[in-house]
Amino acid sequence: MIAAPAVAGADLRTIMPVTSRPPVVMVRGEGSWLWDQEGKRYLDFVQGWAVNCLGHCPAVIRAALAEQAERLINCSPAYYNAPMARLATLIAETSGLGQVFLCNSGAEANEGAIKLARKWGRRHRGGAFEIVCMDHGFHGRTLATMAASGKPGWDAIFPPVVPGFHKVPLGDIDAVAKAIGPATTAVMLEPIQGEAGVLPASDDYLRELRALTRERGVLLILDEIQTGVGRTGRLYHYEHAGVVPDIVTLGKGLGAGVPLAALVASDAASCFEFGDQGGTFGGNPLMAAVGVAVLETVREPDFLHGVTVKGQYLARRLAELSAELGHAEVRGRGLLLALELVDTDAVKVARSAMDRGLLVNAPRPTSLRFMPSLTVSMDEIDQMVDLLRASFP
Ligand code: PLP
């Protein structure tokens, strides 16, 4: 047992132990680098689980926070504020969907999507409320989003499970066609299942789902909390497939490190009435100002092209390493990639990497996941590959 580090004036045992944490305290971040209390430096290819899309403490976010904090931090969601309006407008303009509800976490955005689909089903599909979701999907940790997720074992933790979610295997369009019945209001999925180990839905499958949901008169909900805001080289992953969903949810990168998420819907799907949805912090000017700075940065000419180029480079370097060490496929898109290992414990590799000053994540016992800042440099990718090579047993 490694002793917990000491923090002046603090007792780490007061932090509810909901996850196992290594015995370090992080104190500073800059770009792709993170420093702990002892001064040790880490090359960060986790970035808060694909959250810090512009790296640690980027100047543009510090400036947005400082400027907005001088002007107005919170006025209550009962009133309009300028950053809220600007962010909603930017999301609407870029997504092809006209209605935006700002909130604080991915789970909250997805919970809102589920509520909206149920309301739409009540209004337009004779009371339909069921949602077809994917095995191994991940949509959050509220009771409804856990029920929508397809994580094995999750249905046994907090019974009774919220009803109304039907699971099918990712990629099987016939299974979706069979699962849609009179009680179905929507189909919901991640374009790339991140927490399941970076398992992509193909562009063809997304196009088939769009056609099928139109034909059967149900909504298509895409959870782009991990894939959205440039992570895969397009602002929204669904652009790769050339489709537009009825509802999309955004989080993580939208706030670049601050709690910000969005439920985005077409005008036709958007049917909340006053009182149906809300939240104390939703659309507060401080967080919304950050979202505006993020979207304006990611939309700069060449930014997304840079993500594609660096994603291809990272994929190539990982494939070379995999071939050298006898491991398996590299999968994913843009800067959301996984390396599949052969006869090797990915959790142990991730731990050994941390000892060497590299942060990578093992979402499955045999997969390593890479989700660096979208501003990562080619040189940092090379440094990562060298540190990773040294981390294998
Ligand atoms: N949906 C997806 C695809 C995610 O990857 C996550 C978080 O990892 C969530 C939803 C939940 O987001 P949050 O942790 O902000 O509630």
Side-chain angles (χ1 to χ4, degrees), residues 350-366:
R351 254 190 233 131
S352 153
M354 187 168 183
D355 289 343
R356 288 172 167 75
L358 169 66
L359 302 182
V360 288
N361 153 261
R364 286 205 309 198
T366 57

Side-chain angles (χ1 to χ4, degrees), residues 105-107 110 138-140 190 195 223 225-226 252:
S105 72
N110 282 337
F138 182 82
H139 298 295
E190 302 151 84
E195 299 308 300
D223 175 345
I225 283 154
Q226 194 155 145
K252 291 188 182 278

Side-chain angles (χ1 to χ4, degrees), residues 76-251:
S76 132
Y79 307 106
Y80 293 118
N81 68 73
M84 165 207 264
R86 176 75 185 133
L87 180 55
T89 304
L90 274 172
I91 294 174
E93 275 173 8
T94 53
S95 66
L97 300 169
Q99 293 287 297
V100 181
F101 172 77
L102 297 174
C103 51
N104 314 292
S105 72
E108 192 186 357
N110 282 337
E111 186 86 16
I114 293 163
K115 285 170 68 176
L116 189 59
R118 286 187 175 196
K119 177 100 191 193
W120 183 88
R122 196 143 56 78
R123 274 230 183 141
H124 301 292
R125 240 180 101 79
F129 65 95
E130 278 181 12
I131 301 182
V132 178
C133 303
M134 302 295 147
D135 288 338
H136 303 288
F138 182 82
H139 298 295
R141 291 173 182 279
T142 62
L143 286 174
T145 56
M146 283 183 81
S149 299
K151 247 176 125 87
W154 263 24
D155 47 354
I157 310 178
F158 305 110
V161 173
V162 175
F165 299 95
H166 188 113
K167 307 287 163 40
V168 296
L170 180 72
D172 184 343
I173 193 72
D174 295 337
V176 181
K178 238 191 248 162
I180 296 175
T184 308
T185 187
V187 175
M188 177 174 185
L189 73 156
E190 302 151 84
I192 299 176
Q193 291 188 335
E195 299 308 300
V198 189
L199 306 178
S202 73
D203 291 344
D204 278 344
Y205 176 66
L206 290 175
R207 283 189 282 270
E208 285 168 353
L209 278 178
R210 180 64 286 186
L212 178 68
T213 48
R214 281 233 169 89
E215 184 193 310
R216 304 288 286 274
V218 300
L219 301 173
L220 178 61
I221 305 172
L222 290 182
D223 175 345
E224 291 238 21
I225 283 154
Q226 194 155 145
T227 54
V229 194
R231 172 72 34 199
T232 68
R234 296 287 181 94
L235 198 51
Y236 306 101
H237 183 286
Y238 57 76
E239 294 172 41
H240 292 289
V243 298
V244 181
D246 301 293
I247 296 175
V248 67
T249 51
L250 304 172

Side-chain angles (χ1 to χ4, degrees), residues 5-83:
V7 178
D11 181 350
L12 293 182
R13 291 167 306 179
T14 56
I15 297 171
M16 198 178 281
V18 297
T19 187
S20 144
R21 295 184 171 99
V24 296
V25 178
M26 299 303 182
V27 293
R28 188 165 78 82
E30 190 182 326
S32 289
W33 300 90
L34 196 54
W35 283 262
D36 72 17
Q37 184 171 253
E38 303 300 319
K40 179 171 169 180
R41 187 171 87 138
Y42 304 85
L43 179 53
D44 190 356
F45 270 55
V46 174
Q47 289 285 358
W49 275 273
V51 166
N52 308 327
C53 63
L54 305 179
H56 287 285
C57 304
V60 67
I61 302 303
R62 283 185 278 129
L65 280 168
E67 279 167 30
Q68 190 57 44
E70 289 280 331
R71 202 170 299 131
L72 178 65
I73 291 177
N74 178 41
C75 59
S76 132
Y79 307 106
Y80 293 118
N81 68 73

